[in-house]
């Protein structure tokens, strides 16, 4: 239930970012480092062909968002970010940890920025989000 709530809240709170980005939940990726399905992908504005869909995106998103599920190991998500997303070209990745009401924002080759209050800021996309509005 919590995972679903956070996913929904993220989609609502990311709506202003759609002026510059496409915010795509549960998108299937087939990157150079393998297949995955982040909770949310953030792409620069994309072109759409409504008569021919794309099942697996092969271009990396600018940013991904992963929400820790109750039975998921946090190390698995950290490894996915560092070993799959970044080598494939993703420039930032959020890891949302609902039980701690915390968001970790990762960048390649750097320690994550940790947000447990205030505003989450992603330097890559310029997206900002008030944590108080996420964990309601």
């Amino acid at each position: 239930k919590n995972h679903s709530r956070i996913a929904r809240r993220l989609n609502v709170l990311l709506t202003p970012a759609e002026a510059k980005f496409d915010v795509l939940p549960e998108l299937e990726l087939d990157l150079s480092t393998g297949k995955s399905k982040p909770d949310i992908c953030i792409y620069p504005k994309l072109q759409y062909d409504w008569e021919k869909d794309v099942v697996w995106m092969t271009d990396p998103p600018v940013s991904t968002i992963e929400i820790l599920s109750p039975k998921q190991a946090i190390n698995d998500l950290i490894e996915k970010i560092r070993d799959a997303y970044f080598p494939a070209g993703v420039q930032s990745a959020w890891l949302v940890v609902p039980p701690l009401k915390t968001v970790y924002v990762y960048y390649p080759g750097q320690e994550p920025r940790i947000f447990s209050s205030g505003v989450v800021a992603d330097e890559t996309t310029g997206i900002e989000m008030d944590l108080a509005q996420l964990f309601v």
Side-chain angles (χ1 to χ4, degrees), residues 64-133:
T64 60
I65 300 177
E66 293 283 2
I67 305 164
L68 182 68
S69 296
K71 303 230 181 227
Q72 197 170 30
I74 195 166
N75 286 346
D76 291 344
L77 290 178
I78 293 169
E79 286 177 14
K80 186 190 293 189
I81 289 167
R82 290 193 173 148
D83 299 339
Y85 294 159
F86 290 158
V90 174
Q91 299 171 34
S92 67
W94 296 23
L95 174 54
V96 181
V97 183
L100 302 178
K101 295 182 181 177
T102 302
V103 176
Y104 297 78
V105 180
Y106 288 83
Y107 303 97
Q110 300 179 30
E111 290 296 314
R113 310 288 193 302
I114 304 168
F115 301 90
S116 55
S117 64
V119 175
V120 175
D122 184 331
E123 296 170 8
T124 299
T125 61
I127 292 172
E128 295 185 348
M129 179 181 303
D130 184 355
L131 275 181
Q133 294 181 8

